[in-house]
């Protein structure tokens, strides 16, 4: 983005996006709310109807365009947690001037991604929606790298399914540690303690001491699934999925081409969706927005997904 546009004072920004899907989406949401940042009021209107999303931000006093654009991008990412998709930019205006061509070169690639996941119902109440947004801002600040990986790998184009799975699985190591630090989950170690021979410095007697094993990468993914993924992975053979996920990650990222028991390309595409849904459940739970209605929506979507791709699923025997 050119510096002249970034610093340009503005009072209104309008974004219009389209989702180019095969069918119409069941949207009819109009939302009006307000944010206050550095003594500046931002009046925000969001209209999502069928396959279109319009966002208008009006500012109480002129501020640099980059500040309004930053809030717009946060809204798009927050909305994506519910929509399960981005609405590709169709038009972008600042104070009535069309800047679509310039902004298309400056928006991060995932905002134009075509990947789509389960649609979750948004909070009906605008205040609940706003509280969730402010909580998401705090979460995003603490978990910025994980969040960016989620959006880039979950929604961006241009990567093969096996590489997407390998990269996306990397999110769950820091995510599990973050959740464990909040006492939301417990990371159990699947390996027994190690025994080490040692000698008493006083009497010279030999004896063994037990050293706890360190939780593996697989253990950390499993801890998140056990805490938040029972619906997404219901009926699946989780130990086998974990083994193949780790093997796929090692094959792709450690360049171990001979690694056996990795997922096929089709299975990678199938399970990357479930891992994306798992991350969404975690974040919406952290925002205190996950509820029984959303759980039912996910269960219905996963049941349909499992039925459509029976041959790719790794089921319990």
């Amino acid at each position: 983005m050119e510096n002249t546009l970034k610093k340009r004072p503005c009072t209104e920004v309008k974004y219009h996006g389209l989702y180019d899907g095969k069918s119409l989406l069941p949207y009819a949401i109009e939302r009006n709310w307000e944010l206050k940042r550095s003594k500046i009021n931002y009046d925000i209107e969001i209209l999502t109807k069928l396959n279109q999303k319009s966002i208008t931000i009006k500012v109480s006093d002129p501020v640099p365009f980059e500040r309004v654009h930053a809030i717009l991008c946060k809204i798009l990412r927050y909305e994506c947690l519910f929509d399960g998709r981005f609405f590709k930019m169709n038009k972008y205006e600042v104070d009535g001037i069309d800047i679509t061509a310039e902004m298309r070169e400056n928006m991060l690639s995932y905002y134009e991604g075509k990947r789509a996941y389960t649609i979750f119902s948004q909070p009906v109440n605008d205040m609940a929606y706003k509280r969730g947004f402010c909580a998401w801002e705090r979460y995003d600040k603490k978990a910025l790298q994980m969040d960016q990986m989620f959006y880039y790998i979950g929604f961006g184009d241009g990567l093969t399914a096996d590489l997407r799975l390998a990269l996306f699985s990397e999110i769950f190591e820091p995510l599990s540690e973050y959740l464990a630090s909040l006492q939301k989950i417990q990371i159990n170690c699947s390996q027994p303690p190690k025994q080490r021979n040692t000698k008493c410095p006083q009497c010279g007697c030999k004896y063994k001491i037990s050293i706890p094993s360190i939780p593996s990468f697989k253990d950390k993914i499993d801890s998140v699934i056990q805490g938040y993924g029972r619906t997404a992975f219901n009926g699946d053979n989780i130990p086998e999925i974990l083994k193949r996920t780790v093997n796929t990650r090692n094959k792709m990222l450690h360049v171990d081409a001979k690694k056996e028991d990795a997922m096929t390309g089709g299975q990678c595409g199938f399970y990357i969706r479930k891992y994306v849904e798992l991350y969404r459940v975690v974040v919406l739970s952290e925002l205190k927005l996950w509820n029984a209605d959303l759980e039912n929506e996910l269960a219905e979507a996963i049941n349909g997904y499992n039925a459509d791709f029976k041959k790719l699923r790794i089921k319990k025997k």
Side-chain angles (χ1 to χ4, degrees), residues 16 28 34-35 49 64 101 105 167 179-180 200 236 271 282 287 307 311 313:
H16 184 262
E34 180 184 283
L35 278 177
K49 189 172 183 179
E105 297 177 359
L167 290 171
L179 294 170
C200 176
D236 289 347
Y271 279 101
V282 170
L287 306 184
K311 293 182 179 181
R313 191 180 179 199

Side-chain angles (χ1 to χ4, degrees), residues 27 29 80-84 117-122 277 280-281 284 290 293-295 297-299 301:
Y27 281 116
I29 306 172
C80 179
L81 287 176
F82 300 100
D83 296 336
Y117 304 92
T118 305
I119 296 175
F120 294 140
S121 299
Q122 293 189 9
E277 303 289 33
R280 294 172 71 199
V281 173
L284 289 169
W290 190 254
D293 290 338
L294 273 61
E295 190 81 41
E297 290 167 355
L298 177 60

Side-chain angles (χ1 to χ4, degrees), residues 32-80:
N32 293 276
W33 54 296
E34 180 184 283
L35 278 177
K36 192 169 186 177
R37 296 288 185 271
S38 302
K39 299 181 180 181
I40 300 294
N41 292 327
Y42 295 81
D43 291 314
I44 302 165
E45 179 185 82
I46 306 174
L47 177 62
T48 310
K49 189 172 183 179
L50 300 178
N51 292 38
Q52 303 184 51
K53 185 182 294 291
S54 298
I55 302 174
T56 301
I57 304 176
K58 296 181 180 179
V59 189
S60 58
D61 293 292
V63 297
F65 167 70
E66 63 180 340
R67 286 169 57 180
V68 189
H69 175 68
I71 290 176
L72 171 70
C73 289
K74 286 181 179 181
I75 293 171
L76 290 172
R77 297 199 302 276
Y78 179 61
E79 287 267 309
C80 179

Side-chain angles (χ1 to χ4, degrees), residues 140-150 171 174 279:
D140 184 62
K141 189 175 181 179
K142 291 183 290 186
L144 181 61
Q145 289 184 324
M146 289 188 292
D147 244 15
Q148 287 298 313
M149 284 283 284
F150 163 67
I171 293 175
Y279 185 85

Side-chain angles (χ1 to χ4, degrees), residues 4-234:
T4 52
L5 179 57
K6 288 170 61 176
K7 303 301 180 184
R8 171 182 172 167
C10 72
T11 58
E12 184 180 76
V13 160
K14 290 184 177 181
Y15 176 96
H16 184 262
L18 294 173
Y19 177 71
D20 186 18
K22 296 180 180 179
S23 59
L24 296 178
L25 302 176
Y27 281 116
I29 306 172
E30 184 172 354
R31 194 176 297 284
N32 293 276
W33 54 296
E34 180 184 283
L35 278 177
K36 192 169 186 177
R37 296 288 185 271
S38 302
K39 299 181 180 181
I40 300 294
N41 292 327
Y42 295 81
D43 291 314
I44 302 165
E45 179 185 82
I46 306 174
L47 177 62
T48 310
K49 189 172 183 179
L50 300 178
N51 292 38
Q52 303 184 51
K53 185 182 294 291
S54 298
I55 302 174
T56 301
I57 304 176
K58 296 181 180 179
V59 189
S60 58
D61 293 292
V63 297
F65 167 70
E66 63 180 340
R67 286 169 57 180
V68 189
H69 175 68
I71 290 176
L72 171 70
C73 289
K74 286 181 179 181
I75 293 171
L76 290 172
R77 297 199 302 276
Y78 179 61
E79 287 267 309
C80 179
L81 287 176
F82 300 100
D83 296 336
R85 69 207 68 215
F86 283 103
F87 289 69
K88 183 178 179 179
M89 179 172 57
N90 182 52
K91 191 172 185 179
Y92 198 139
E93 293 179 288
V94 54
D95 291 334
I97 299 174
D98 191 332
I99 58 169
T100 307
E102 181 171 355
M103 294 310 298
R104 201 176 297 282
E105 297 177 359
N106 288 279
M107 297 284 283
L108 295 175
S109 60
Y110 55 72
Y111 291 112
E112 306 240 320
K114 296 180 181 179
R115 303 188 190 281
Y117 304 92
T118 305
I119 296 175
F120 294 140
S121 299
Q122 293 189 9
V124 176
N125 183 278
D126 286 346
M127 287 304 298
Y129 176 93
K130 178 180 176 179
R131 283 196 300 271
F133 176 80
C134 294
W136 177 82
E137 282 188 303
R138 294 189 293 272
Y139 172 82
D140 184 62
K141 189 175 181 179
K142 291 183 290 186
L144 181 61
Q145 289 184 324
M146 289 188 292
D147 244 15
Q148 287 298 313
M149 284 283 284
F150 163 67
Y151 289 114
Y152 270 114
I153 309 303
F155 297 89
D157 299 321
L159 296 177
T160 59
D162 50 1
L163 183 55
R164 287 180 68 227
L165 182 76
L167 290 171
F168 199 89
S169 68
E170 292 282 301
I171 293 175
F172 294 101
E173 187 161 26
L175 180 61
S176 64
E177 293 168 357
Y178 170 76
L179 294 170
S181 72
L182 299 175
Q183 298 184 330
K184 300 292 181 67
I185 63 170
Q186 182 175 348
I187 303 175
N188 296 314
C189 184
S190 59
Q191 298 298 316
K194 298 176 182 178
Q195 302 293 318
R196 190 179 76 184
N197 293 321
T198 189
K199 182 187 293 185
C200 176
Q202 300 295 328
C203 66
C205 293
K206 295 180 180 180
Y207 63 97
K208 293 181 182 291
I209 61 172
S210 180
I211 302 174
S213 296
I214 298 173
S216 65
F217 181 56
K218 181 171 68 174
D219 293 332
K220 293 181 178 182
I221 302 176
D222 188 40
S223 68
V224 181
I225 291 178
Q226 297 304 323
Y228 297 87
R230 295 303 183 97
T231 298
F233 291 86
N234 183 36

